Amino acid sequence: MIKLSKPHIDDASINSVIEVLRSGQLVHGNECASFEIEIAKYLGCKECVLVSSGTAALHIALQSLDLGTNTAIIVPDFTFPATANVVALQNFRVVNVDVNLNNYTISIDALKNVIENWRGPEKIKAIMPVHEFGCPVDMECLMNLSKEYELYVIEDAACAIGCIYNNKKIGTFGDMGCFSFHPRKTITTGEGGAIVTNDDKLADKVRRLRNHGIDYKNNKINFVEPGWNYRLTNFQAALGRRQLADLDNRIQRRSELTRYYCELLESVHKSGYIHLPELINGHSFQTFMIVLDERYSRNKVINFLKDKMIESNLGAHSLHSLQIYNNTNYCPVGGFLYRQGLALPLYEQMTKEDVQYVCNNLVECLYSDEVLSNE
Ligand SMILES: *Cc1c(COP(=O)(O)O)cnc(C)c1O
């Protein structure tokens, strides 16, 4: 079976985890401290706070802003629902905005339109752009808009570590950036995540929220506010450090494989059977998603490929298409990507022959009547 994705864990990483397990220092250790410094250095920002998942990162990043009641937050319609769930869990209103068909990230025109025509009753206080699948959002336009309307920006860079926009790493443009180290992402600690920021006060606040609301002063523990336990373990951090050291190689390899996919699928793209994403500069290639033309049933395509030992799946979700968010804005592009998007296998250890095999079978599938939709 050619899997959709495969975590990449070498023997050196495994040994580093075993070492930490033998040491007995399972939480609050040197591996965590070093991993935070190394991430901040890699991204070129001041502070990094490790947490237990990407969702935990989004949750306490949003909570740390103390936005009060009567709050609305903008998120893209096409994303993993955790982006919206953390908004709903704060009792804030989820305001979804449609995305671009060519790169799956938030449409700046649609964003402008929603902000300019907003009539409340809640006040829009922040934007959470998602660098979907590793594609950088147009951060210059987005940050200009956020300044003009005095909105906070929390970047959901959960699947985009290593992604670059205008020579600067994604996650470092907004007030805070959130990352995930789930096994589907380019580097993994099993579960895990991080918040990065250049604001010391926000970093302190996020550190407290991660650790029961504790503030250390003069070596004394003070519980200064209610907090969670969202800590990453020391052995996970050991794994993460080895993975981070290999990140740029991984992105390079993923870039080569994605470009090869696009080359092999160019003709079916040109003939209108599928739609290929634009490979924007700075992309970090976490997932490769194509879009099937409306004539196809995605489920039938997934099953066709499964019979050829190829795993594929939907790419991401569309908020307004989900029952829990069905009172949010209708977003036609997000809905279309959710229905017809098809994520294809992508991981570093894949060979070019694997990519050929996937493409040959996909093309055969697209020419077959078996996978047409009945409607
Ligand atoms: C993976 C992902 C998340 C959730 O991260 P977890 O570590 O699984 O909690 C949130 N947002 C986006 C865009 C993601 O890709």
Side-chain angles (χ1 to χ4, degrees):
M1 191 81 172
I2 301 184
K3 304 282 287 178
L4 196 52
S5 105
K6 236 189 223 177
H8 185 174
I9 296 167
D10 61 14
D11 287 344
S13 324
I14 291 171
N15 290 333
S16 71
V17 173
I18 292 172
E19 227 170 272
V20 176
L21 292 177
R22 292 221 161 95
S23 79
Q25 183 72 44
L26 302 191
V27 294
H28 295 300
N30 290 337
E31 294 290 336
C32 285
S34 301
F35 192 27
E36 286 187 342
I37 291 167
E38 286 160 8
I39 291 172
K41 184 161 172 242
Y42 176 83
L43 296 176
C45 64
K46 266 167 89 177
E47 300 275 353
C48 170
V49 181
L50 291 171
V51 290
S52 53
S53 71
T55 305
L58 293 167
H59 185 188
I60 55 178
L62 188 57
Q63 194 183 353
S64 72
L65 294 175
D66 276 330
L67 296 176
T69 53
N70 212 33
T71 299
I73 308 282
I74 294 180
V75 298
D77 186 64
F78 185 68
T79 183
F80 186 71
T83 320
N85 288 343
V86 299
V87 174
L89 283 168
Q90 301 278 316
N91 293 319
F92 296 158
R93 171 137 167 219
V94 174
V95 180
N96 57 328
V97 166
D98 213 351
V99 297
N100 300 312
L101 184 61
N102 63 337
N103 63 19
Y104 320 144
T105 66
I106 195 162
S107 152
I108 298 294
D109 287 338
L111 177 63
K112 228 182 243 170
N113 195 40
V114 164
I115 295 173
E116 281 169 3
N117 295 306
W118 182 252
R119 295 283 174 272
E122 301 88 350
K123 191 173 179 312
I124 295 176
K125 296 182 187 168
I127 314 173
M128 297 174 71
V130 177
H131 306 289
E132 192 59 290
F133 305 144
C135 178
V137 168
D138 182 346
M139 289 311 283
E140 190 174 324
C141 291
L142 190 135
M143 292 310 294
N144 285 339
L145 262 180
S146 77
K147 282 188 190 104
E148 186 181 343
Y149 290 91
E150 298 183 10
L151 306 174
Y152 288 106
V153 174
I154 297 174
E155 292 176 70
D156 181 346
C159 52
I161 192 161
C163 165
I164 297 168
Y165 178 84
N166 280 352
N167 295 319
K168 192 170 144 171
K169 294 272 170 34
I170 277 302
T172 62
F173 286 83
D175 298 280
M176 281 172 280
C178 299
F179 295 94
S180 164
F181 306 129
H182 181 273
R184 270 302 305 276
K185 317 300 184 189
T186 309
I187 60 172
T188 186
T189 58
E191 299 285 358
I195 298 158
V196 299
T197 181
N198 286 314
D199 183 322
D200 302 332
K201 281 222 167 69
L202 282 178
D204 285 347
K205 173 95 179 167
V206 163
R207 281 208 171 86
R208 286 198 297 273
L209 289 174
R210 162 182 75 172
N211 189 31
H212 306 292
I214 293 173
D215 193 36
Y216 291 97
K217 276 218 181 75
N218 311 321
N219 273 335
K220 243 189 83 198
I221 290 181
N222 299 303
F223 287 91
V224 295
E225 65 185 308
W228 315 93
N229 175 354
Y230 275 172
R231 296 187 304 260
L232 192 77
T233 63
N234 211 27
F235 49 95
Q236 286 174 299
L239 183 56
R241 292 182 67 195
R242 303 312 178 285
Q243 305 251 313
L244 181 66
D246 191 39
L247 176 56
D248 286 343
N249 292 332
R250 295 182 178 197
I251 293 173
Q252 177 57 33
R253 177 67 184 154
R254 284 163 176 266
S255 160
E256 286 162 16
L257 293 169
T258 302
R259 284 171 209 285
Y260 193 45
Y261 260 124
C262 289
E263 200 183 304
L264 298 181
L265 295 175
E266 177 70 15
S267 65
V268 276
H269 165 71
K270 282 225 167 96
S271 325
Y273 295 93
I274 62 164
H275 181 90
L276 289 175
E278 213 179 285
L279 304 184
I280 307 267
N281 269 342
H283 204 302
S284 59
F285 306 104
Q286 179 256 339
T287 285
F288 180 58
M289 185 188 94
I290 63 168
V291 190
L292 300 170
D293 182 70
E294 293 276 17
R295 80 190 82 164
Y296 296 109
S297 152
R298 181 180 55 196
N299 252 343
K300 290 182 186 169
V301 171
I302 289 174
N303 286 327
F304 184 104
L305 293 175
K306 196 168 154 201
D307 286 342
K308 309 283 182 175
M309 305 299 282
I310 298 163
E311 188 182 25
S312 61
N313 203 350
L314 60 80
H317 301 261
S318 150
L319 296 174
H320 83 278
S321 308
L322 302 177
Q323 212 207 320
I324 43 170
Y325 295 115
N326 68 4
N327 59 345
T328 60
N329 299 320
Y330 172 65
C331 296
V333 179
F336 175 56
L337 296 178
Y338 173 51
R339 263 183 290 119
Q340 297 300 89
L342 185 73
L344 295 175
L346 184 66
Y347 48 90
E348 301 84 48
Q349 310 95 310
M350 246 182 120
T351 62
K352 283 200 149 183
E353 288 69 36
D354 291 333
V355 175
Q356 272 170 16
Y357 179 78
V358 173
C359 291
N360 289 343
N361 282 290
L362 178 66
V363 170
E364 184 194 329
C365 164
L366 295 171
Y367 287 136
S368 143
D369 289 342
E370 277 172 55
V371 294
L372 296 178
S373 160
N374 296 327
E375 289 138 40

